[in-house]
Amino acid sequence: MGTVTRVNGPLVEAEGLAGAAMFELVALGPHRLPGEIVALRGDRATVQAYEYTGGLSPGHPADLQGSALSALLGPHLLGGVFDGLLRPLTEAGVWLDPAAPTPARPAGGWSFTPLAAEGREAGAGTVIGRIEGAGSLPYLVLSPGGEVSSIRPAGACAPDTPIAVVGGTEVRPTCHRPVRRPLPYAFRLETAVPFTTGQRVIDLLLPVSLGGTAAVPGGFGTGKTVLLQQIAKWCEADVVVYIGCGERGNELADVVAELGELTDPRTGGRLGDRTVVIANTSNMPMMAREASIYTGVTVAEHFRDMGYDAVVIADSTSRWAEARREFASRSGALPAEEGYPADLASALAAFYERSGRVVTLGGATGSVTIIGAVSPPGGDMTEPVTTQTERFVRTLWELDRDLAYARHYPAVSWTGSFSRDAGALTESDPDAAARRARVADLLGEADRLTEMAELVGAETLPARERVVLLGGRLLREGFLQQSALSSRDAFCGPRRTAVLADALLAILERCQNLVGHGVPVASIEERDFSSILRAKEAPEEEIGERRDAVLDDLETLR
């Protein structure tokens, strides 16, 4: 057992820790506060503490735990709310006491069904049983590899009760897994499959692939949290891991409340029953915030290994980077740009590279999609966290302040954002590729002409360019804007997105045709387009009817 020699906030130095290893857990002080070794010099160790260190002083004991920082994984995760170290918060009370013992393992009440026979070989990662009653998805029990010596019959099971013995290893419903080391899989799949979010501007213009990565940078008030909550509610993932990393407590409380109230369109139950919420708010211990994103992605990998598609939504990675900066400044590490540690880029890369669509050890196909919010101070997109994140993600959804203040939701900038997977995702669908190209070109041209019209006036522009301006307005108001509060427009599936975009493009093509035949552009601009602008709120079968009505009205000008 070692001894604490220095305490500086979350940084604790201890000596006498012979045989210590990097990233080994240490119990600090009489209350045995959890900490992790981040630097070693002989028998002296630098430890980052995951709890408030008030009252901890030199001379207190420091006890090596012989294991790395690990998370307890099991059927209790779905529908639960946890802190940054995956300790349950649901029954933790109003005030969290760092001296309180770690909550006991969750109560069971689950029903186990065996899916493997005794005496048979079960390769690593293959399914040997299923547990019902824990969330809206079946929880699959995976084999460590070897011969199934024994397996429980169907019936109730508890968290700590062995349900099988495989290869001489007892298998329980719950298990511990280190959070900083990725869980193994067989191999990655390189084929691109679209990840549907239900947000038109994303799914059409800036798509992300299943198992891909996306970042959402935006200043205060641009709608990051609302957009991420919409994706969590409506995306096509089987399991949603929502990480509130340093965010305000009232925002996370709203997330938890809404998830509990929303009906899951897949199962008909509560959406929260297939969601794992990791709540590390701004008033919780700072270094637990640093660990929370690794805990969250480990949970997602655990469900990926069962063959599920999981999405990790981290809000926000800027708060995580600030925690690393705070600890680096206390440890005396050489600072890089704006005081962030020099290893910020490699830490971001290590986090995002844990995404992917893979074939698991058991032969199933699963994925982890990572979406991280970035909160640049003052909306400065050149600050280090934003610029480094752009290097490693495949998709960027930059939120525009002007769009947000104009009440344009979602405020995703179609000029400042990118999708590196868009070509691969539309390669097998020429119609989708052409539709995306037409909408993107029209929006870009409309933005250019808008700047020109502000200088010389829209009336001085040629007729065809004025139609482009009209088209840009129709696309922005009738397609890109999407209300999170609308029961019909909050989610828009791929087919509905395509129908709506094609309707608007058909109307704009007719307008250009009329101008080419000498119809005055002013008479076109004066037509009533409100019906097609409100088509996004109408049933899908009505969109075509509204399009035809507008086209017929335009034909009267010929």
Side-chain angles (χ1 to χ4, degrees):
M1 181 178 293
T3 304
V4 173
T5 59
R6 175 175 174 245
V7 180
N8 182 6
L11 184 145
V12 179
E13 292 185 352
E15 63 180 12
L17 298 176
M22 282 291 292
F23 303 115
E24 185 175 355
L25 281 181
V26 180
L28 301 169
H31 298 310
R32 301 183 67 79
L33 305 179
E36 185 181 21
I37 295 176
V38 295
L40 279 172
R41 294 174 296 277
D43 67 344
R44 298 178 63 88
T46 300
V47 180
Q48 64 179 23
Y50 290 118
E51 289 286 6
Y52 174 60
T53 56
L56 185 67
S57 62
H60 279 162
D63 187 17
L64 293 174
Q65 299 299 291
S67 62
L69 179 64
S70 301
L72 178 64
L73 307 176
H76 63 284
L77 293 174
L78 292 176
V81 182
F82 306 87
D83 71 356
L85 302 184
L86 213 62
R87 297 173 296 191
L89 295 176
T90 306
E91 305 296 335
V94 177
W95 300 102
L96 303 178
D97 183 3
T102 302
R105 292 193 174 196
W110 308 318
S111 174
F112 173 73
T113 302
L115 298 177
E118 294 183 0
R120 297 289 185 89
E121 286 289 326
T126 57
V127 178
I128 61 172
R130 182 178 65 246
I131 294 177
E132 304 282 356
S136 58
L137 297 173
Y139 181 88
L140 305 180
V141 181
L142 305 181
S143 166
E147 181 182 338
V148 180
S149 304
S150 64
I151 190 166
R152 285 177 66 93
C157 66
D160 287 327
T161 303
I163 54 178
V165 177
V166 181
T169 302
E170 288 188 342
V171 179
R172 292 178 167 83
T174 58
C175 61
H176 282 88
R177 292 289 183 268
V179 301
R180 298 191 185 274
R181 187 167 66 244
L183 299 185
Y185 54 85
F187 58 88
R188 284 180 179 263
L189 294 170
E190 301 299 332
T191 54
V193 177
F195 177 78
T196 302
T197 65
Q199 308 304 300
R200 287 186 293 269
V201 64
I202 291 174
D203 293 340
L204 180 68
L205 294 177
L206 304 161
V208 62
S209 62
L210 196 64
T213 54
V216 190
F220 178 79
T222 54
K224 293 186 301 296
T225 300
V226 174
L227 177 58
L228 293 177
Q229 289 178 9
Q230 283 297 98
I231 294 174
K233 295 172 189 174
W234 302 110
C235 71
E236 65 175 3
D238 299 314
V239 177
V240 178
V241 182
Y242 193 98
I243 308 172
C245 185
E247 291 302 300
R248 293 182 292 274
N250 60 336
E251 290 185 355
L252 277 177
D254 289 342
V255 172
V256 174
E258 289 187 19
L259 290 174
E261 296 171 357
L262 284 174
T263 301
D264 189 346
R266 292 189 174 194
T267 64
R270 294 189 319 128
L271 181 60
D273 288 340
R274 60 179 179 92
T275 302
V276 182
V277 178
I278 297 178
N280 189 268
T281 57
S282 55
N283 62 338
M284 288 184 176
M286 179 186 64
M287 294 319 297
R289 183 187 314 170
E290 189 272 342
S292 63
I293 66 168
Y294 300 107
T295 301
V297 77
T298 301
V299 171
E301 290 175 339
H302 181 60
F303 286 100
R304 175 207 67 191
D305 291 346
M306 300 179 196
Y308 292 127
D309 294 318
V311 60
V312 175
I313 299 177
D315 185 11
S316 81
T317 55
S318 292
R319 308 288 177 256
W320 165 81
E322 289 167 3
R324 294 181 60 87
R325 176 172 63 181
E326 174 72 13
F327 189 84
S329 67
R330 292 179 182 271
S331 65
L334 185 66
E337 186 179 359
E338 296 190 17
Y340 287 102
D343 66 344
L344 174 64
S346 59
L348 282 168
F351 169 59
Y352 281 107
E353 74 179 3
R354 292 178 69 169
S355 67
R357 182 166 171 261
V358 305
V359 172
T360 68
L361 296 178
T365 299
S367 68
V368 174
T369 305
I370 298 180
I371 302 174
V374 185
S375 307
D380 179 16
M381 298 299 177
T382 63
E383 61 90 32
V385 181
T386 304
T387 56
Q388 296 294 348
T389 299
E390 288 182 14
R391 294 175 54 195
F392 305 118
V393 296
R394 300 292 300 173
T395 306
L396 185 79
W397 302 325
E398 181 180 313
L399 301 184
D400 185 86
R401 185 188 303 272
D402 293 335
L403 289 175
Y405 289 175
R407 299 179 182 274
H408 178 111
Y409 175 84
V412 177
S413 169
W414 46 86
T415 56
S417 306
F418 62 78
S419 173
R420 296 186 173 110
D421 293 329
L425 291 171
T426 57
E427 188 176 14
S428 60
D429 188 351
D431 292 339
R435 183 182 303 114
R436 176 180 181 272
R438 289 182 64 192
V439 171
D441 291 344
L442 185 58
L443 289 171
E445 183 68 7
D447 287 344
R448 184 186 69 83
L449 293 174
T450 299
E451 296 177 357
M452 185 181 300
E454 291 175 352
L455 296 175
V456 301
E459 296 78 7
T460 64
L461 297 177
R464 286 191 173 276
E465 294 186 347
R466 289 172 63 177
V467 171
V468 172
L469 285 177
L470 173 64
R473 181 177 70 85
L474 293 181
L475 283 173
R476 288 193 302 271
E477 298 179 11
F479 182 80
L480 298 180
Q481 283 187 354
Q482 193 168 349
S483 174
L485 304 178
S486 169
S487 59
R488 192 184 298 275
D489 197 38
F491 170 80
C492 191
R495 175 179 168 79
R496 181 180 175 85
T497 296
V499 169
L500 189 58
D502 289 342
L504 289 167
L505 291 173
I507 291 171
L508 298 176
E509 185 177 351
R510 181 65 57 85
C511 291
Q512 290 286 18
N513 182 270
L514 291 174
V515 167
H517 284 78
V519 175
V521 68
S523 62
I524 295 177
E525 294 172 332
E526 293 171 356
R527 309 311 288 181
D528 182 12
F529 293 99
S530 60
S531 174
I532 195 64
L533 291 178
R534 294 195 301 267
K536 57 189 178 183
E537 297 279 357
E540 184 177 320
E541 57 272 13
E542 287 188 17
I543 297 176
E545 297 174 4
R546 297 191 180 208
R547 175 203 61 203
D548 294 341
V550 174
L551 291 176
D552 292 342
D553 180 59
L554 289 172
E555 274 300 312
T556 62
L557 299 175
R558 192 182 294 273

